Amino acid sequence: LYAYCRQMDIPHARLGKIIVATKNHEIKQLEKLYQNATQNGVPNLELLDQKQVKCLEPEIQCLAGLYSPNTGIIDTHTFMQNLSHQAEEKDALIAYDSEVIHLEKTASGFIVTIKKESFRFESRIVINSAGLSADRVTALAGIDIDRAGYRLHYCKGDYFRTRQVLKAARLIYPVPSPNVRDLGIHLTKDLAGGIRFGPDADYVKEIDYQIDDAKKSAFCDSVRQYLPGIQPDDFYADTSGIRAKLQGPDDDFRDFVICHEANRSLAGLINLIGIESPGLTSSLAIADYVEEIVKGLGR
């Protein structure tokens, strides 16, 4: 992703990230994260003691930290616009505001029906990367999403900014929850140097991007564990988003699903379901993975 950003002149910054342990029992969780990451080939990670974290981030209070120097931020909108331009330059047609309402398997592929003017077309391959609607598109193909374990759960995450002037050079994350329901309310920066906190994790039934200002106290309590001087009135609402989670509120961790559905008699349907964070960071790698599946289907 960094190489692509450099090549395409997409704004980004390799800031680094510190995951901080603020309680004694979290130190062992940090060590486990370090071991898992190292086994998965993540380079240059470093376990830090309290004094080492203070040297890097004087305002942060913690007992220990896990430092990832290669973590960074990216201008996501410019990145997505660039990808759409790249696709169109290779003769892709992007049809916005075009809801899929029917998906019918045929001998040679699929007939896809679009709600807009009831437009229909046939395609040998369908790649379902519909985000919050990926399970609905799957159901249109005739898959029982509950039996398959494909039903999505909407998990809303809000962000708040602060009026306090803070000095943080890096992203600061708490130790994630044991079932990795979310990564905790962390300090993140934008490319202009601004700081915001979030996201939290609330399972919701409907898609709604309004932010409840009453959440300021809960945000403050969470952030105070590593930034003790912050006050509830320092916070004001920023933005929100909704994760397309396969993991329900009481479930253990569920990872992405990327699956060619040939075993369900739907050869040519490639499902991408539950692609939440870090799906954007992984998007180029996911595309390479899906391309290999497509190549395996032949002409």
Side-chain angles (χ1 to χ4, degrees):
L1 185 59
Y2 281 129
Y4 187 87
C5 288
R6 288 192 296 270
Q7 179 186 351
M8 297 296 173
D9 200 26
I10 296 166
H12 65 285
R14 196 187 301 245
L15 300 178
K17 170 174 78 175
I18 305 176
I19 303 173
V20 294
T22 59
K23 301 177 180 66
N24 283 316
H25 72 269
E26 292 178 342
I27 296 175
K28 286 197 176 298
Q29 290 174 257
L30 272 188
E31 292 169 350
K32 186 177 179 182
L33 280 174
Y34 174 80
Q35 291 165 3
N36 288 347
T38 302
Q39 287 169 8
N40 282 306
V42 180
N44 304 322
L45 298 181
E46 186 179 354
L47 285 167
L48 307 177
D49 61 25
Q50 187 178 41
K51 188 179 292 186
Q52 289 171 311
V53 174
K54 269 290 185 201
C55 286
L56 293 175
E57 297 291 349
E59 294 194 20
I60 299 302
Q61 176 178 287
C62 68
L63 300 176
L66 175 58
Y67 179 38
S68 167
N70 287 320
T71 301
I73 57 176
I74 180 176
D75 183 335
T76 55
H77 293 284
T78 300
F79 175 57
M80 289 184 284
Q81 288 169 347
N82 177 273
L83 291 177
S84 68
H85 293 327
Q86 291 289 316
E88 288 172 326
E89 284 183 3
K90 292 176 169 57
D91 299 324
L93 173 64
I94 300 175
Y96 295 103
D97 191 28
S98 301
E99 180 185 355
V100 176
I101 59 172
H102 191 65
L103 196 57
E104 179 186 346
K105 184 75 178 84
T106 66
S108 56
F110 296 86
I111 294 174
V112 184
T113 304
I114 304 297
K115 184 176 182 180
K116 200 172 187 178
E117 300 175 359
S118 294
F119 178 71
R120 301 168 81 232
F121 64 92
E122 188 167 7
S123 178
R124 185 173 66 90
I125 296 169
V126 171
I127 300 171
N128 171 22
S129 183
L132 294 172
S133 299
D135 58 346
R136 185 182 62 80
V137 173
T138 298
L140 291 177
I143 295 176
D144 184 326
I145 58 174
D146 289 311
R147 185 175 294 178
Y150 285 174
R151 183 173 294 277
L152 291 173
H153 304 271
Y154 296 160
C155 187
K156 185 179 179 185
D158 296 333
Y159 285 89
F160 282 79
R161 289 191 183 263
T162 177
R163 295 179 178 87
Q164 237 191 67
V165 177
L166 300 172
K167 295 178 181 176
R170 297 161 188 83
L171 312 178
I172 308 297
Y173 281 58
V175 173
S177 58
N179 68 348
V180 202
R181 171 178 166 175
D182 65 287
L183 298 179
I185 294 173
H186 48 269
L187 180 158
T188 186
K189 301 186 68 172
D190 58 34
L191 288 161
I195 289 175
R196 64 178 184 162
F197 297 95
D200 59 354
D202 284 329
Y203 281 91
V204 296
K205 296 295 184 184
E206 305 292 335
I207 295 175
D208 176 10
Y209 297 102
Q210 296 296 313
I211 300 175
D212 183 358
D213 207 49
K215 284 185 171 184
K216 289 193 296 187
S217 292
F219 265 71
C220 183
D221 289 344
S222 181
V223 173
R224 253 192 203 141
Q225 297 189 47
Y226 56 86
L227 267 176
I230 203 126
Q231 300 297 325
D233 289 342
D234 293 333
F235 290 93
Y236 61 95
D238 186 41
T239 58
S240 70
I242 297 179
R243 310 167 181 89
K245 274 188 174 289
L246 284 167
Q247 175 185 348
D250 300 317
D251 297 340
D252 290 331
F253 175 70
R254 292 281 311 278
D255 207 347
F256 301 174
V257 168
I258 304 175
C259 181
H260 177 218
E261 301 291 356
N263 289 340
R264 292 189 170 93
S265 301
L266 292 167
L269 173 62
I270 302 169
N271 268 327
L272 283 73
I273 303 179
I275 309 290
E276 50 168 317
S277 178
L280 182 73
T281 309
S282 309
S283 56
L284 300 180
I286 291 172
D288 287 341
Y289 187 88
V290 173
E291 182 185 23
E292 289 305 309
I293 297 174
V294 171
K295 286 178 178 177
L297 298 178
R299 292 283 180 184

